[in-house]
């Protein structure tokens, strides 16, 4: 998983296999340049284990790919057979007839409807149609500086709730001027789901529990004012400069991110910090009875879809099923620093459960422990816009004090209303 890093030039490469049985190549568009190596290996592995075929992969940037796909669908020119699409953009293609095949029956026949994590299947399901299969668990956790925690006598078990983060963060700020947590607007809907709500409800209502949304923004605005939680200088925890700056210098001790955040971005942008970072469950809230809420939620994560326009439906499904179910295919996504798979049988693989060389800790065991706590995501065509509006326009304004939480939610709701009417 390589989201958020925006690249503007497409890269096309073709994997040509000898003894081709199919005249037309299977065309796959992916939203990650780094996935080129993975799919190249999967094509070779498929030929080795299954059948000869030709795979043509076009790799685009995270935001570029949905734009290119939209143009192809509107003009009905150059539509690929399959696409790899991040869940944050999935809703873009739901405002009207879906351009993707309904895979419900295929998944049942292959038992993938039972073998993929149910919370992740829901992310690519709309109006009772399974329109894509998830490749990543994308479960959130808290990455923390093990050396600085030890130096400041902080134990991960002390950070069960966000209130704990505030308390310990204020103590550090008062005694040493140390900032505790870095975050950006991508965390907003994660926090909503930890508190039992979401950006939309099943009836399509936007911000169905505005009281909770206000509480979340207010709590983190207060953490920002106290210099406990801070936004990176350029506003994004996905910016390479954030890694070489705030993280490497110890400006902050923690950052929240999904599995792919640690597998990819940490190792890519902070390779010299191997062994310094650890992982723990995401802090949460307690309910009225004192019970802890979910210690994780999900953010982003790619799925594979088959376009209705394809003339090679069976071949596309065969390859998709192979990538989803093959033991080596699942292990490779993890080992290549991509993501932790959503395919449940792979969770017994020692390659996924062993100590990770960068973190000197098992990421797999922590994710398996948290998997049953993942709250559901309500899929809606407006979800992509809601995510990016909050991330780009409102969360930072609240954190920097330019807008009050109440003002931000009012403007947020109005912006969504202007775009979508009274839906």
């Amino acid at each position: 998983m390589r989201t958020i890093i925006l690249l503007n030039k497409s890269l096309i490469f073709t994997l040509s296999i000898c003894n081709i049985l199919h005249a037309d190549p299977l065309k796959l568009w992916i939203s990650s340049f780094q996935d080129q190596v993975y799919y190249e290996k999967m094509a070779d592995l498929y030929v080795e284990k299954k059948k000869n075929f030709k795979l043509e992969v076009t790799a685009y940037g995270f935001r570029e790919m949905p734009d290119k796909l939209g143009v192809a669908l509107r003009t009905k020119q150059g539509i690929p057979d399959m696409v790899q699409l991040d869940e944050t953009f999935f809703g873009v293609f739901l405002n009207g007839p879906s351009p993707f095949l309904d895979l419900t029956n295929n998944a049942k026949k292959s038992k993938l409807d039972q073998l993929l994590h149910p919370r992740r299947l829901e992310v690519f399901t709309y109006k009772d149609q399974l329109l894509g299969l998830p490749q990543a668990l994308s479960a959130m956790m808290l990455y923390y500086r093990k050396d600085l925690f030890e130096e400041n006598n902080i134990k991960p078990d002390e950070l069960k709730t966000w209130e704990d983060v505030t308390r310990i963060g204020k103590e550090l700020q008062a005694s040493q001027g140390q900032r505790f947590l870095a975050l950006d607007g991508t965390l907003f809907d994660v926090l909503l789901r930890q508190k039992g709500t979401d950006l939309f409800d099943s009836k399509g209502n936007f911000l169905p529990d505005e009281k909770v949304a206000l509480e979340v923004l207010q709590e983190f605005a207060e953490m920002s004012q106290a210099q406990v939680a801070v936004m990176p200088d350029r506003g994004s925890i996905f910016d390479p400069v954030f890694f070489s700056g705030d993280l490497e210098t110890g400006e902050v001790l923690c950052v929240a991110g999904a599995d792919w955040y640690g597998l990819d971005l940490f190792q890519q942008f902070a390779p010299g910090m191997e062994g310094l970072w650890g992982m723990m469950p995401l802090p949460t809230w307690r309910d009225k009875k004192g019970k802890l809420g979910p210690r994780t939620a999900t953010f982003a994560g790619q799925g594979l879809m088959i376009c209705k326009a394809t003339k090679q439906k069976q071949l596309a499904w065969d390859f998709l099923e192979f990538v989803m179910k093959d033991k080596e295919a699942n292990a490779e996504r993890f080992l290549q620093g991509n993501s932790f798979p959503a395919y449940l049988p792979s969770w017994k693989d020692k390659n996924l459960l062993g100590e990770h060389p960068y973190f000197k800790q098992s990421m797999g065991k922590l994710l398996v422990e948290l998997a049953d706590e993942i709250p559901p995501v309500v899929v809606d065509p407006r979800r992509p816009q809601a995510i990016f509006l909050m991330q780009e326009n409102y969360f930072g304004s609240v954190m920097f004090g330019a807008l009050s939480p109440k003002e931000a939610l009012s403007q947020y709701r109005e912006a969504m209303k202007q775009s979508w009417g009274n839906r």
Side-chain angles (χ1 to χ4, degrees), residues 99-311:
F100 308 126
L101 286 179
D102 180 4
L103 302 176
T104 304
N105 291 333
N106 298 66
K108 286 182 178 178
K109 290 178 182 177
S110 68
K111 297 186 178 179
L112 279 169
D113 63 328
Q114 302 171 42
L115 299 176
L116 290 165
H117 195 288
R119 292 282 88 91
R120 302 307 291 157
L121 282 167
E122 291 170 355
V123 169
F124 296 107
T125 300
Y126 186 61
K127 293 185 176 180
D128 298 322
Q129 292 188 331
L130 178 61
L131 301 174
L133 296 184
Q135 290 183 283
L137 189 64
S138 296
M140 296 287 291
M141 63 189 87
L142 195 68
Y143 296 93
Y144 72 97
R145 279 287 295 271
K146 291 186 288 188
D147 57 331
L148 297 182
F149 263 48
E150 184 175 349
E151 182 180 312
N152 290 285
N153 198 29
I154 303 170
K155 296 178 175 58
D157 287 346
E158 296 175 334
L159 298 171
K160 288 184 169 59
T161 67
W162 290 113
E163 290 87 348
D164 294 333
V165 171
T166 299
R167 173 178 54 80
I168 293 175
K170 284 182 176 179
E171 292 172 359
L172 278 177
Q173 180 62 212
S175 64
Q176 302 178 41
Q178 173 69 60
R179 296 171 172 179
F180 196 76
L181 172 72
L183 75 168
D184 67 13
T186 56
L187 194 59
F188 179 66
D189 68 318
V190 168
L191 298 170
L192 289 183
R193 281 178 272 127
Q194 278 194 297
K195 294 203 79 169
T197 184
D198 205 342
L199 292 169
F200 302 91
D201 65 16
S202 59
K203 296 181 181 179
N205 296 308
F206 178 57
L207 293 182
D209 195 331
E210 192 161 332
K211 180 182 177 182
V212 168
L214 187 61
E215 289 172 353
V216 167
L217 286 182
Q218 185 63 50
E219 183 169 347
F220 279 82
E222 291 172 359
M223 290 170 68
S224 177
Q225 291 165 12
Q227 291 291 292
V228 172
V230 295
M231 295 273 291
D233 289 340
R234 302 208 298 193
S236 172
I237 63 170
F238 305 98
D239 187 342
V241 175
F242 168 66
F243 286 83
S244 60
D246 292 350
L247 294 190
E248 288 197 350
T249 60
E251 179 69 18
V252 292
L253 305 187
C254 304
V255 60
D259 50 39
W260 50 263
Y261 189 83
L263 289 170
D264 176 10
L265 302 189
F266 265 105
Q267 296 181 88
Q268 183 179 174
F269 298 130
M273 300 189 76
E274 180 178 323
L276 296 181
W277 287 93
M279 301 164 286
M280 70 173 99
L282 203 63
T284 185
W285 286 274
R286 295 186 185 275
D287 63 19
K288 293 180 180 179
K289 296 182 180 179
K291 182 181 178 182
L292 285 174
R295 299 174 298 159
T296 189
T298 54
F299 176 71
Q302 292 165 335
L304 288 174
M305 296 94 190
I306 300 175
C307 294
K308 285 181 177 177
T310 181
K311 296 180 180 179

Side-chain angles (χ1 to χ4, degrees), residues 375-412:
V377 172
V378 177
V379 178
D380 189 281
R382 297 162 291 169
R383 187 167 179 253
Q385 184 176 15
I387 289 173
F388 290 111
L389 271 176
M390 175 53 71
Q391 176 189 355
E392 296 170 2
N393 294 358
Y394 302 112
F395 193 84
S397 295
V398 170
M399 294 291 284
F400 290 122
L403 289 174
S404 71
K406 190 172 183 179
E407 290 170 335
L409 287 182
S410 177
Q411 292 185 24
Y412 187 33

